[in-house]
Amino acid sequence: MTALETGRLIRSGKLSVTEAVSTALDAAERENGRINAFITICREKALMRAADVQKRIDDGTLTSPLAGVPVAVKDNICTEGIRTTCASKMLENFVPFYSAAAVEKLENAGAVIIGKLNMDEFAMGSLSETSYFGPVRNPHGTERSAGGSSGGCAAAVAADIIPAALGSDTGGSVRQPSAYCGVTGFKPTYGAVSRYGLIAYASSFDQIGPVCRTAEDCAAVTDVICGADERDSTSRSMFSSSLLSGLTGDVKGLRIGVLKEIFEAGMADAGTAQKVLDAAEELDKAGARVKEVSFPYLKQAFSAYYTIAMAEASSNLARFDGIKYGYRAENPEDLNDLYCRSRSEGFGTEVKKRILLGTTILSGGYYDEYYLKAMKIRNAVRSELDRIFTGTDLLLTPTAPGTAPLIGSGAADPVSVYCSDVFTVFANLAGLPSVSFPCGTDENGMPVGAQFTGRAADDGLVLNAAHAFQIRTDWHMRGSSLSAYRDSVTVQSHVPAGGKLPDEKRTLGK
């Protein structure tokens, strides 16, 4: 069931908020041992909130389409009174005293948060395997990755535990796992959603976005969370009307450019490229004008993204030193030992690797050679995309070069893991809106994702194109085969203390 369908049932009185939330909580607790999508489940807090929301719906003070809908939030987005770990030992016991702006708005609209979702540590990864709390499993096949870094978001929606989740997208972190799990993930234009309360990885790329079953749900969630926020100077109000009400499904005359680089050797596998072409053909039948376009800076954009992202990460994560923030090592010999051991013991391998690379990039001898050159490429990418969008309304590409890999396969070839972001990072470099939506399956039945990217502030156009495809196909509603993972081996997630799934009591430190 989608988020909007759930909201309609609640408003009609056919489903109570408590019933909707209890069902989601039961599913989360039942399935988490298999897919490990949640780090924290907030049963007591969610049920109390459900009762309050029901009263406000009954007395007519809460009329939002999302009122009473159970949702969950990626664990790098702050939630008041619920721990926010970033899937790291460094923040294992961090309980914020405030909520992110996007969370505030979602709760003001009546959505009920049932828990915090697993992810790559500090959002660094493309497979959701670097979490301190163990890897997220793909509901379509638990031996496979859910993608990253918002893997918990995509897995929880694909498993029908919740109809909507809030994720964050730095280089494709919402869209790539959505593609691997067969759901719809949307990265709004940079600045459309406040980043206040989002724990920073790479500030000039980070953007909060929804993961849902449909483009309609993504529009509904974005309508709620978007807008200017005085606590984030990069945020602004950029939509004059509701994104949801603008979804018509009409694509007649829409100029869609299919990126010809997807046919280059090594850029995408043949099966994935063919599914994207099939999606283009479907929209062509609906009246869109499909043509081939070239974006020659695709590989350069990929290199520039990682250079800048690692530089920003090394700066942002400097605050986690055991004194200002984060895990503190026990019995240090002196101040230097405290710093060194706190960061060595608190961060995982992938985070340490990116901090070291970022520090090197920013160091005196390499700044001009790497960081400055990457910034020049970023400007060139923006200029080239501006040129492309003078003759094209949307770019259509695969979301990822292939489908979800086996868990653990990335350890042997980490470069190939980075390369899975090759079709997503250019949208972050230029701050453009981009949506991933399911467009088929491979020979193993794993979902294939296609992606539309548009001009800045053309979020409605991007979502409407995905909506048009979803009106004409049913890939987005096929979901995961729950029986497929119920029959598989139960996952033993790593729980660092307590010996069982963290619950609200542990979360609140009671």
Side-chain angles (χ1 to χ4, degrees):
M1 189 183 301
T2 70
L4 289 171
E5 288 171 345
T6 304
R8 280 193 287 270
L9 284 177
I10 290 171
R11 291 195 304 282
S12 69
K14 295 177 181 176
L15 178 70
S16 74
V17 179
T18 297
E19 287 172 333
V21 171
S22 295
T23 300
L25 287 167
D26 292 345
E29 291 171 347
R30 182 180 65 244
E31 306 298 348
N32 209 49
R34 301 178 187 274
I35 61 173
N36 201 28
F38 284 81
I39 290 176
T40 302
I41 296 173
C42 317
R43 174 171 282 278
E44 184 180 344
K45 192 179 184 76
L47 289 175
M48 289 176 61
R49 164 107 178 125
D52 178 61
V53 169
Q54 185 67 66
K55 288 179 184 175
R56 294 166 61 199
I57 292 174
D58 292 343
D59 65 21
T61 58
L62 202 50
T63 58
S64 161
L66 298 179
V69 174
V71 300
V73 178
K74 187 176 178 180
D75 212 21
N76 61 345
I77 301 174
C78 287
T79 42
E80 181 182 2
I82 307 171
R83 71 172 179 161
T84 301
T85 70
C86 275
S88 176
K89 181 178 180 180
M90 181 62 77
L91 290 177
E92 182 183 358
N93 298 308
F94 171 53
V95 181
F97 59 86
Y98 69 100
S99 288
V103 172
E104 287 177 349
K105 291 183 176 183
L106 207 53
E107 290 198 313
N108 288 340
V112 179
I113 295 170
I114 69 160
K116 302 299 291 291
L117 294 161
N118 205 353
M119 54 182 279
D120 280 306
E121 184 179 9
F122 280 97
M124 297 180 188
S126 300
L127 298 172
S128 284
E129 293 181 23
T130 67
S131 169
Y132 178 61
F133 301 93
V136 183
R137 305 262 168 175
N138 194 315
H140 292 267
T142 54
E143 76 284 4
R144 292 187 180 271
S145 163
S149 63
S150 303
C153 299
V157 173
D160 288 327
I161 295 172
I162 45 170
L166 278 189
S168 68
D169 193 312
T170 303
S173 307
V174 158
R175 291 162 286 154
Q176 186 247 41
S178 295
Y180 283 176
C181 292
V183 295
T184 305
F186 179 53
K187 186 200 90 67
T189 299
Y190 185 80
V193 178
S194 170
R195 290 179 295 109
Y196 175 78
L198 170 65
I199 296 176
Y201 161 21
S203 306
S204 71
F205 300 119
D206 294 339
Q207 182 65 88
I208 292 175
V211 178
C212 305
R213 179 70 68 191
T214 67
E216 275 189 309
D217 279 0
C218 286
V221 173
T222 307
D223 274 341
V224 168
I225 64 176
C226 70
D229 176 14
E230 63 182 13
R231 297 165 295 185
D232 174 9
S233 61
T234 64
S235 67
R236 62 194 187 279
S237 297
M238 62 180 69
F239 310 130
S240 58
S241 59
S242 158
L243 297 175
L244 179 61
S245 63
L247 298 184
T248 63
D250 183 4
V251 292
K252 288 179 182 173
L254 187 71
R255 299 170 299 176
I256 297 175
V258 179
L259 209 60
K260 72 176 186 180
E261 279 78 8
I262 66 175
F263 304 108
E264 289 183 5
M267 294 295 282
D269 66 47
T272 297
Q274 185 56 52
K275 294 297 180 185
V276 173
L277 290 179
D278 293 345
E281 186 177 345
E282 189 67 38
L283 292 166
D284 184 73
K285 291 176 185 173
R289 293 158 51 194
V290 178
K291 62 179 181 178
E292 190 176 85
V293 299
S294 176
F295 177 45
Y297 292 160
L298 199 61
K299 292 179 180 176
Q300 289 88 339
F302 169 76
S303 301
Y305 163 76
Y306 269 103
T307 302
I308 299 169
M310 290 186 189
E312 293 189 15
S314 72
S315 175
N316 278 325
L317 270 60
R319 74 194 69 176
F320 301 108
D321 57 9
I323 294 179
K324 290 189 286 293
Y325 296 101
Y327 167 84
R328 178 176 295 186
E330 295 181 351
N331 305 316
E333 295 177 359
D334 51 32
L335 184 60
N336 188 55
D337 185 50
L338 173 62
Y339 280 132
C340 290
R341 284 182 43 219
S342 294
R343 288 171 67 81
S344 296
E345 296 170 11
F347 287 133
T349 302
E350 183 64 29
V351 175
K352 291 176 191 171
K353 183 167 64 179
R354 297 193 187 205
I355 289 174
L356 288 171
L357 285 168
T359 305
T360 302
I361 289 165
L362 290 175
S363 60
Y366 297 102
Y367 181 88
D368 289 353
E369 186 175 357
Y370 296 114
Y371 185 75
L372 193 58
K373 185 182 293 184
M375 291 300 288
K376 289 178 179 176
I377 293 173
R378 184 177 196 173
N379 288 333
V381 166
R382 286 171 170 162
S383 298
E384 181 64 13
L385 288 168
D386 286 344
R387 184 194 64 77
I388 291 172
F389 282 126
T390 59
T392 304
D393 297 311
L394 297 175
L395 277 180
L396 177 62
T397 64
T399 309
T403 52
L406 294 170
I407 288 178
S409 61
D413 187 6
V415 175
S416 71
V417 176
Y418 290 172
C419 288
S420 67
D421 298 336
V422 69
F423 294 117
T424 54
V425 297
F426 71 87
N428 299 79
L429 272 176
L432 305 178
S434 188
V435 63
S436 174
F437 55 97
C439 67
T441 56
D442 68 6
E443 65 276 11
N444 297 313
M446 298 303 295
V448 175
Q451 174 184 255
F452 280 123
T453 303
R455 303 181 193 91
D458 262 356
D459 299 47
L461 197 69
V462 170
L463 286 168
N464 190 53
H467 177 58
F469 183 77
Q470 293 181 339
I471 287 175
R472 292 161 177 81
T473 62
D474 67 350
W475 295 109
H476 59 294
M477 294 307 292
R478 296 190 183 188
S480 62
S481 171
L482 293 181
S483 60
Y485 68 84
R486 280 179 176 150
D487 293 337
S488 61
V489 178
T490 299
V491 178
Q492 296 297 322
S493 63
H494 170 57
V495 181
K500 60 181 181 179
L501 179 71
D503 56 19
E504 189 172 32
K505 289 184 178 179
R506 281 196 59 221
T507 298
L508 298 175
K510 294 178 180 177

